[in-house]
Short mmCIF file of all heavy atoms in Angstrom, two decimals:
data_model
loop_
_atom_site.label_atom_id
_atom_site.label_comp_id
_atom_site.label_asym_id
_atom_site.label_seq_id
_atom_site.Cartn_x
_atom_site.Cartn_y
_atom_site.Cartn_z
N ILE A 15 -3.96 -5.79 5.94
CA ILE A 15 -3.57 -5.70 4.54
C ILE A 15 -4.50 -6.48 3.60
O ILE A 15 -4.37 -6.49 2.37
CB ILE A 15 -2.10 -6.09 4.34
CG1 ILE A 15 -1.87 -7.55 4.70
CG2 ILE A 15 -1.18 -5.14 5.10
CD1 ILE A 15 -0.49 -8.09 4.32
N ALA A 16 -5.42 -7.25 4.18
CA ALA A 16 -6.34 -8.04 3.37
C ALA A 16 -7.35 -7.09 2.60
O ALA A 16 -7.85 -7.44 1.60
CB ALA A 16 -7.14 -8.96 4.24
N ASP A 17 -7.59 -5.92 3.10
CA ASP A 17 -8.48 -4.98 2.47
C ASP A 17 -7.80 -4.17 1.41
O ASP A 17 -6.79 -3.56 1.64
CB ASP A 17 -9.12 -4.02 3.57
CG ASP A 17 -10.16 -3.15 3.00
OD1 ASP A 17 -9.75 -2.07 2.51
OD2 ASP A 17 -11.39 -3.47 3.05
N PRO A 18 -8.42 -4.09 0.21
CA PRO A 18 -7.77 -3.29 -0.85
C PRO A 18 -7.64 -1.81 -0.65
O PRO A 18 -6.65 -1.22 -1.01
CB PRO A 18 -8.63 -3.64 -2.09
CG PRO A 18 -9.83 -4.26 -1.62
CD PRO A 18 -9.57 -4.78 -0.27
N THR A 19 -8.62 -1.25 0.10
CA THR A 19 -8.46 0.22 0.46
C THR A 19 -7.34 0.47 1.33
O THR A 19 -6.57 1.42 1.14
CB THR A 19 -9.80 0.63 1.10
OG1 THR A 19 -10.92 0.47 0.13
CG2 THR A 19 -9.74 2.16 1.43
N ARG A 20 -7.16 -0.41 2.33
CA ARG A 20 -6.04 -0.21 3.23
C ARG A 20 -4.73 -0.44 2.52
O ARG A 20 -3.71 0.29 2.82
CB ARG A 20 -6.19 -1.18 4.49
CG ARG A 20 -7.29 -0.69 5.37
CD ARG A 20 -7.33 -1.38 6.69
NE ARG A 20 -7.80 -2.71 6.63
CZ ARG A 20 -9.07 -3.10 6.78
NH1 ARG A 20 -10.07 -2.22 6.95
NH2 ARG A 20 -9.38 -4.40 6.73
N ARG A 21 -4.64 -1.37 1.54
CA ARG A 21 -3.37 -1.56 0.82
C ARG A 21 -3.11 -0.27 0.02
O ARG A 21 -1.95 0.13 -0.14
CB ARG A 21 -3.47 -2.80 -0.09
CG ARG A 21 -3.39 -4.09 0.76
CD ARG A 21 -3.19 -5.31 -0.20
NE ARG A 21 -4.11 -5.37 -1.23
CZ ARG A 21 -5.25 -6.12 -1.24
NH1 ARG A 21 -5.57 -6.76 -0.13
NH2 ARG A 21 -6.03 -6.16 -2.29
N GLU A 22 -4.13 0.29 -0.54
CA GLU A 22 -3.95 1.51 -1.35
C GLU A 22 -3.51 2.68 -0.44
O GLU A 22 -2.61 3.47 -0.84
CB GLU A 22 -5.21 1.86 -2.07
CG GLU A 22 -5.02 2.92 -3.16
CD GLU A 22 -6.30 3.11 -4.04
OE1 GLU A 22 -7.15 2.22 -4.06
OE2 GLU A 22 -6.31 4.17 -4.68
N ILE A 23 -4.06 2.73 0.75
CA ILE A 23 -3.61 3.78 1.72
C ILE A 23 -2.15 3.62 2.01
O ILE A 23 -1.36 4.53 2.06
CB ILE A 23 -4.48 3.73 2.98
CG1 ILE A 23 -5.84 4.29 2.70
CG2 ILE A 23 -3.85 4.65 4.09
CD1 ILE A 23 -6.88 4.01 3.81
N ILE A 24 -1.70 2.32 2.27
CA ILE A 24 -0.31 2.05 2.56
C ILE A 24 0.54 2.54 1.42
O ILE A 24 1.59 3.12 1.58
CB ILE A 24 -0.13 0.57 2.82
CG1 ILE A 24 -0.69 0.17 4.18
CG2 ILE A 24 1.35 0.22 2.80
CD1 ILE A 24 -0.86 -1.31 4.43
N GLY A 25 0.09 2.24 0.15
CA GLY A 25 0.87 2.63 -1.01
C GLY A 25 0.98 4.19 -1.10
O GLY A 25 2.03 4.65 -1.46
N LEU A 26 -0.07 4.87 -0.74
CA LEU A 26 0.01 6.34 -0.78
C LEU A 26 0.99 6.92 0.28
O LEU A 26 1.82 7.77 -0.12
CB LEU A 26 -1.40 6.93 -0.47
CG LEU A 26 -2.47 6.84 -1.54
CD1 LEU A 26 -3.85 7.22 -1.02
CD2 LEU A 26 -2.07 7.70 -2.75
N ILE A 27 0.88 6.46 1.54
CA ILE A 27 1.74 7.05 2.46
C ILE A 27 3.14 6.46 2.54
O ILE A 27 4.02 6.95 3.24
CB ILE A 27 1.03 7.04 3.87
CG1 ILE A 27 0.76 5.60 4.34
CG2 ILE A 27 -0.20 7.87 3.89
CD1 ILE A 27 0.17 5.59 5.77
N ALA A 28 3.36 5.35 1.75
CA ALA A 28 4.73 4.85 1.68
C ALA A 28 5.65 5.77 0.99
O ALA A 28 6.82 5.82 1.24
CB ALA A 28 4.71 3.45 0.96
N HIS A 29 5.06 6.62 0.09
CA HIS A 29 5.90 7.57 -0.71
C HIS A 29 5.91 8.93 -0.11
O HIS A 29 6.85 9.64 -0.37
CB HIS A 29 5.26 7.61 -2.11
CG HIS A 29 5.30 6.31 -2.82
ND1 HIS A 29 6.41 5.67 -3.24
CD2 HIS A 29 4.29 5.45 -3.13
CE1 HIS A 29 6.11 4.49 -3.78
NE2 HIS A 29 4.85 4.34 -3.75
N LYS A 30 4.87 9.22 0.73
CA LYS A 30 4.79 10.62 1.22
C LYS A 30 3.93 10.63 2.44
O LYS A 30 2.88 10.10 2.39
CB LYS A 30 4.24 11.57 0.09
CG LYS A 30 4.12 12.99 0.47
CD LYS A 30 3.58 13.76 -0.67
CE LYS A 30 3.43 15.22 -0.30
NZ LYS A 30 2.81 16.01 -1.41
N THR A 31 4.32 11.31 3.50
CA THR A 31 3.48 11.53 4.68
C THR A 31 2.30 12.38 4.29
O THR A 31 2.45 13.44 3.64
CB THR A 31 4.30 12.19 5.81
OG1 THR A 31 5.37 11.32 6.17
CG2 THR A 31 3.43 12.43 6.97
N LEU A 32 1.13 11.98 4.54
CA LEU A 32 -0.10 12.69 4.20
C LEU A 32 -0.98 12.89 5.42
O LEU A 32 -0.97 12.01 6.32
CB LEU A 32 -0.89 11.91 3.13
CG LEU A 32 -0.19 11.70 1.76
CD1 LEU A 32 -1.07 10.76 0.91
CD2 LEU A 32 0.08 13.02 1.05
N ASN A 33 -1.80 13.96 5.43
CA ASN A 33 -2.75 14.10 6.51
C ASN A 33 -4.03 13.37 6.11
O ASN A 33 -4.15 12.91 4.93
CB ASN A 33 -2.97 15.55 6.86
CG ASN A 33 -3.74 16.36 5.81
OD1 ASN A 33 -4.57 15.86 5.09
ND2 ASN A 33 -3.34 17.65 5.67
N LEU A 34 -4.94 13.28 7.04
CA LEU A 34 -6.12 12.43 6.77
C LEU A 34 -6.97 12.96 5.63
O LEU A 34 -7.48 12.17 4.82
CB LEU A 34 -6.99 12.36 8.02
CG LEU A 34 -6.31 11.61 9.23
CD1 LEU A 34 -7.21 11.76 10.45
CD2 LEU A 34 -6.12 10.19 8.86
N ASN A 35 -7.08 14.30 5.49
CA ASN A 35 -7.83 14.83 4.36
C ASN A 35 -7.18 14.56 3.03
O ASN A 35 -7.86 14.18 2.06
CB ASN A 35 -8.01 16.34 4.52
CG ASN A 35 -9.03 16.71 5.62
OD1 ASN A 35 -9.99 15.98 5.86
ND2 ASN A 35 -8.70 17.84 6.30
N GLU A 36 -5.91 14.58 3.01
CA GLU A 36 -5.13 14.34 1.73
C GLU A 36 -5.30 12.88 1.33
O GLU A 36 -5.43 12.57 0.15
CB GLU A 36 -3.66 14.69 1.88
CG GLU A 36 -3.36 16.09 2.02
CD GLU A 36 -1.92 16.42 2.42
OE1 GLU A 36 -1.30 15.60 3.14
OE2 GLU A 36 -1.41 17.42 2.01
N ILE A 37 -5.40 11.97 2.30
CA ILE A 37 -5.60 10.52 2.02
C ILE A 37 -7.05 10.39 1.52
O ILE A 37 -7.27 9.78 0.43
CB ILE A 37 -5.38 9.66 3.28
CG1 ILE A 37 -3.91 9.66 3.62
CG2 ILE A 37 -5.86 8.25 3.03
CD1 ILE A 37 -3.55 9.05 4.96
N ALA A 38 -8.02 10.99 2.20
CA ALA A 38 -9.44 10.89 1.84
C ALA A 38 -9.73 11.44 0.43
O ALA A 38 -10.60 10.83 -0.26
CB ALA A 38 -10.31 11.61 2.86
N GLU A 39 -8.99 12.35 -0.07
CA GLU A 39 -9.18 12.92 -1.37
C GLU A 39 -8.95 11.90 -2.46
O GLU A 39 -9.36 12.02 -3.64
CB GLU A 39 -8.23 14.12 -1.61
CG GLU A 39 -8.59 15.38 -0.79
CD GLU A 39 -7.55 16.44 -0.91
OE1 GLU A 39 -6.55 16.26 -1.56
OE2 GLU A 39 -7.81 17.47 -0.30
N ASN A 40 -8.20 10.87 -2.15
CA ASN A 40 -7.84 9.76 -3.13
C ASN A 40 -8.91 8.72 -3.27
O ASN A 40 -8.78 7.79 -4.02
CB ASN A 40 -6.55 9.10 -2.78
CG ASN A 40 -5.39 10.10 -3.01
OD1 ASN A 40 -4.91 10.23 -4.08
ND2 ASN A 40 -4.99 10.77 -1.98
N PHE A 41 -10.00 8.78 -2.50
CA PHE A 41 -11.00 7.74 -2.46
C PHE A 41 -12.45 8.33 -2.58
O PHE A 41 -12.68 9.47 -2.21
CB PHE A 41 -10.91 7.01 -1.11
CG PHE A 41 -9.62 6.33 -0.93
CD1 PHE A 41 -8.52 6.92 -0.26
CD2 PHE A 41 -9.38 5.03 -1.40
CE1 PHE A 41 -7.33 6.39 -0.11
CE2 PHE A 41 -8.18 4.37 -1.21
CZ PHE A 41 -7.12 5.09 -0.56
N GLU A 42 -13.29 7.55 -3.09
CA GLU A 42 -14.76 7.91 -3.24
C GLU A 42 -15.47 7.31 -2.08
O GLU A 42 -16.32 6.49 -2.22
CB GLU A 42 -15.28 7.47 -4.55
CG GLU A 42 -14.70 8.19 -5.73
CD GLU A 42 -15.30 7.83 -7.02
OE1 GLU A 42 -16.36 7.16 -7.01
OE2 GLU A 42 -14.76 8.21 -8.01
N MET A 43 -15.11 7.71 -0.85
CA MET A 43 -15.83 7.28 0.38
C MET A 43 -15.73 8.37 1.35
O MET A 43 -14.89 9.34 1.21
CB MET A 43 -15.23 5.92 0.86
CG MET A 43 -13.84 6.01 1.38
SD MET A 43 -13.23 4.39 2.00
CE MET A 43 -13.35 3.34 0.66
N SER A 44 -16.43 8.30 2.43
CA SER A 44 -16.50 9.36 3.39
C SER A 44 -15.19 9.47 4.19
O SER A 44 -14.43 8.46 4.30
CB SER A 44 -17.64 9.09 4.36
OG SER A 44 -17.46 7.99 5.15
N ARG A 45 -15.01 10.60 4.78
CA ARG A 45 -13.83 10.82 5.63
C ARG A 45 -13.91 9.92 6.83
O ARG A 45 -12.86 9.34 7.28
CB ARG A 45 -13.78 12.33 6.03
CG ARG A 45 -12.76 12.61 7.18
CD ARG A 45 -11.38 12.89 6.61
NE ARG A 45 -10.33 12.83 7.66
CZ ARG A 45 -10.36 13.62 8.73
NH1 ARG A 45 -11.18 14.54 8.89
NH2 ARG A 45 -9.37 13.47 9.62
N PRO A 46 -15.07 9.69 7.46
CA PRO A 46 -15.10 8.77 8.61
C PRO A 46 -14.73 7.35 8.20
O PRO A 46 -14.13 6.62 8.95
CB PRO A 46 -16.55 8.81 9.03
CG PRO A 46 -16.99 10.19 8.65
CD PRO A 46 -16.37 10.46 7.37
N ALA A 47 -15.08 6.91 6.97
CA ALA A 47 -14.74 5.58 6.48
C ALA A 47 -13.23 5.52 6.36
O ALA A 47 -12.60 4.47 6.73
CB ALA A 47 -15.43 5.22 5.19
N ILE A 48 -12.58 6.49 5.83
CA ILE A 48 -11.13 6.53 5.67
C ILE A 48 -10.48 6.53 7.07
O ILE A 48 -9.50 5.76 7.37
CB ILE A 48 -10.65 7.74 4.88
CG1 ILE A 48 -11.05 7.63 3.42
CG2 ILE A 48 -9.13 7.95 5.03
CD1 ILE A 48 -10.45 6.43 2.68
N SER A 49 -11.06 7.27 8.03
CA SER A 49 -10.55 7.27 9.36
C SER A 49 -10.59 5.92 10.03
O SER A 49 -9.71 5.47 10.77
CB SER A 49 -11.36 8.31 10.23
OG SER A 49 -11.03 9.62 9.84
N GLN A 50 -11.65 5.18 9.70
CA GLN A 50 -11.75 3.82 10.25
C GLN A 50 -10.65 2.87 9.67
O GLN A 50 -10.09 2.13 10.41
CB GLN A 50 -13.17 3.21 9.92
CG GLN A 50 -13.34 1.86 10.52
CD GLN A 50 -13.31 1.88 12.06
OE1 GLN A 50 -13.72 2.77 12.75
NE2 GLN A 50 -12.80 0.77 12.61
N HIS A 51 -10.36 3.03 8.41
CA HIS A 51 -9.29 2.31 7.79
C HIS A 51 -7.96 2.61 8.42
O HIS A 51 -7.15 1.77 8.74
CB HIS A 51 -9.24 2.51 6.25
CG HIS A 51 -10.31 1.79 5.53
ND1 HIS A 51 -10.40 0.39 5.40
CD2 HIS A 51 -11.33 2.27 4.77
CE1 HIS A 51 -11.43 0.09 4.71
NE2 HIS A 51 -12.02 1.20 4.28
N ILE A 52 -7.76 3.92 8.63
CA ILE A 52 -6.50 4.37 9.23
C ILE A 52 -6.37 3.87 10.69
O ILE A 52 -5.33 3.47 11.14
CB ILE A 52 -6.40 5.97 9.25
CG1 ILE A 52 -6.36 6.47 7.85
CG2 ILE A 52 -5.24 6.41 10.11
CD1 ILE A 52 -5.18 6.21 7.06
N LYS A 53 -7.49 3.86 11.39
CA LYS A 53 -7.55 3.26 12.75
C LYS A 53 -7.04 1.83 12.78
O LYS A 53 -6.26 1.46 13.63
CB LYS A 53 -8.92 3.42 13.34
CG LYS A 53 -9.00 2.85 14.79
CD LYS A 53 -10.44 2.98 15.25
CE LYS A 53 -10.60 2.40 16.63
NZ LYS A 53 -11.96 2.21 17.06
N ILE A 54 -7.57 1.06 11.85
CA ILE A 54 -7.14 -0.32 11.80
C ILE A 54 -5.66 -0.46 11.52
O ILE A 54 -4.96 -1.27 12.09
CB ILE A 54 -8.02 -1.08 10.72
CG1 ILE A 54 -9.45 -1.17 11.23
CG2 ILE A 54 -7.44 -2.52 10.50
CD1 ILE A 54 -10.51 -1.67 10.28
N LEU A 55 -5.18 0.30 10.56
CA LEU A 55 -3.75 0.31 10.16
C LEU A 55 -2.90 0.72 11.38
O LEU A 55 -1.81 0.19 11.60
CB LEU A 55 -3.49 1.16 9.00
CG LEU A 55 -4.03 0.71 7.64
CD1 LEU A 55 -3.95 1.77 6.57
CD2 LEU A 55 -3.42 -0.59 7.19
N THR A 56 -3.40 1.65 12.17
CA THR A 56 -2.70 2.17 13.34
C THR A 56 -2.69 1.04 14.41
O THR A 56 -1.64 0.80 15.05
CB THR A 56 -3.35 3.45 13.86
OG1 THR A 56 -3.35 4.38 12.82
CG2 THR A 56 -2.57 3.97 15.10
N GLU A 57 -3.85 0.42 14.62
CA GLU A 57 -3.91 -0.59 15.67
C GLU A 57 -3.01 -1.80 15.41
O GLU A 57 -2.55 -2.44 16.32
CB GLU A 57 -5.37 -1.11 15.79
CG GLU A 57 -6.29 -0.10 16.43
CD GLU A 57 -7.74 -0.46 16.39
OE1 GLU A 57 -8.13 -1.53 15.76
OE2 GLU A 57 -8.52 0.24 17.05
N CYS A 58 -2.71 -2.09 14.14
CA CYS A 58 -1.83 -3.19 13.89
C CYS A 58 -0.36 -2.79 13.68
O CYS A 58 0.48 -3.64 13.49
CB CYS A 58 -2.36 -4.05 12.71
SG CYS A 58 -2.10 -3.15 11.13
N GLY A 59 -0.09 -1.49 13.89
CA GLY A 59 1.25 -1.02 13.82
C GLY A 59 1.82 -0.68 12.53
O GLY A 59 2.99 -0.36 12.36
N LEU A 60 1.01 -0.65 11.45
CA LEU A 60 1.54 -0.31 10.09
C LEU A 60 1.56 1.20 9.94
O LEU A 60 2.34 1.66 9.05
CB LEU A 60 0.61 -0.94 9.03
CG LEU A 60 0.81 -2.43 8.83
CD1 LEU A 60 -0.26 -2.92 7.93
CD2 LEU A 60 2.12 -2.73 8.29
N VAL A 61 0.78 1.95 10.61
CA VAL A 61 0.73 3.42 10.47
C VAL A 61 0.89 4.02 11.85
O VAL A 61 0.36 3.54 12.81
CB VAL A 61 -0.61 3.85 9.74
CG1 VAL A 61 -0.74 5.36 9.83
CG2 VAL A 61 -0.66 3.35 8.33
N GLU A 62 1.57 5.15 11.83
CA GLU A 62 1.66 5.97 13.06
C GLU A 62 1.09 7.35 12.74
O GLU A 62 1.39 7.93 11.67
CB GLU A 62 3.09 6.10 13.45
CG GLU A 62 3.37 6.90 14.75
CD GLU A 62 4.82 7.02 15.12
OE1 GLU A 62 5.55 7.68 14.38
OE2 GLU A 62 5.13 6.40 16.10
N ILE A 63 0.34 7.90 13.68
CA ILE A 63 -0.28 9.22 13.50
C ILE A 63 0.50 10.22 14.32
O ILE A 63 0.82 9.93 15.48
CB ILE A 63 -1.75 9.20 14.00
CG1 ILE A 63 -2.57 8.18 13.28
CG2 ILE A 63 -2.36 10.60 13.86
CD1 ILE A 63 -2.94 8.38 11.89
N THR A 64 0.89 11.33 13.65
CA THR A 64 1.55 12.41 14.41
C THR A 64 0.68 13.64 14.22
O THR A 64 0.10 13.92 13.13
CB THR A 64 2.97 12.66 13.87
OG1 THR A 64 2.86 12.88 12.43
CG2 THR A 64 3.89 11.48 14.15
N GLN A 65 0.59 14.42 15.26
CA GLN A 65 -0.18 15.64 15.32
C GLN A 65 0.73 16.86 15.08
O GLN A 65 1.72 16.99 15.71
CB GLN A 65 -0.85 15.77 16.65
CG GLN A 65 -1.82 16.96 16.79
CD GLN A 65 -3.23 16.55 16.26
OE1 GLN A 65 -3.61 15.42 16.38
NE2 GLN A 65 -3.86 17.55 15.70
N GLN A 66 0.41 17.61 14.01
CA GLN A 66 1.09 18.86 13.72
C GLN A 66 0.03 19.96 13.63
O GLN A 66 -0.64 20.06 12.62
CB GLN A 66 1.88 18.75 12.48
CG GLN A 66 3.09 17.81 12.63
CD GLN A 66 3.90 17.70 11.34
OE1 GLN A 66 3.54 18.28 10.33
NE2 GLN A 66 4.95 16.97 11.37
N GLY A 67 -0.08 20.74 14.64
CA GLY A 67 -1.12 21.79 14.67
C GLY A 67 -2.45 21.17 14.67
O GLY A 67 -2.71 20.26 15.50
N ARG A 68 -3.31 21.49 13.74
CA ARG A 68 -4.68 20.93 13.69
C ARG A 68 -4.66 19.65 12.83
O ARG A 68 -5.71 19.01 12.78
CB ARG A 68 -5.58 21.98 13.06
CG ARG A 68 -5.83 23.13 13.99
CD ARG A 68 -6.72 24.21 13.40
NE ARG A 68 -7.93 23.58 12.76
CZ ARG A 68 -8.77 24.30 12.00
NH1 ARG A 68 -8.59 25.57 11.76
NH2 ARG A 68 -9.81 23.69 11.50
N ASN A 69 -3.62 19.39 12.15
CA ASN A 69 -3.60 18.23 11.26
C ASN A 69 -2.96 16.94 11.88
O ASN A 69 -2.05 17.07 12.70
CB ASN A 69 -2.76 18.63 9.98
CG ASN A 69 -3.52 19.53 9.12
OD1 ASN A 69 -4.73 19.42 8.89
ND2 ASN A 69 -2.75 20.52 8.58
#
Side-chain angles (χ1 to χ4, degrees):
I15 64 172
D17 184 274
T19 300
R20 289 191 286 269
R21 288 193 306 269
E22 194 170 340
I23 290 169
I24 290 168
L26 287 170
I27 62 176
H29 301 289
K30 182 180 177 183
T31 299
L32 299 172
N33 68 36
L34 294 174
N35 288 327
E36 292 169 328
I37 293 170
E39 290 171 359
N40 290 279
F41 298 92
E42 292 184 11
M43 64 178 64
S44 69
R45 167 85 195 299
I48 291 297
S49 291
Q50 184 61 35
H51 285 295
I52 297 293
K53 179 182 177 189
I54 292 168
L55 291 169
T56 302
E57 288 173 351
C58 71
L60 286 170
V61 170
E62 181 181 68
I63 304 287
T64 56
Q65 187 84 31
Q66 292 181 355
R68 293 177 46 190
N69 289 317

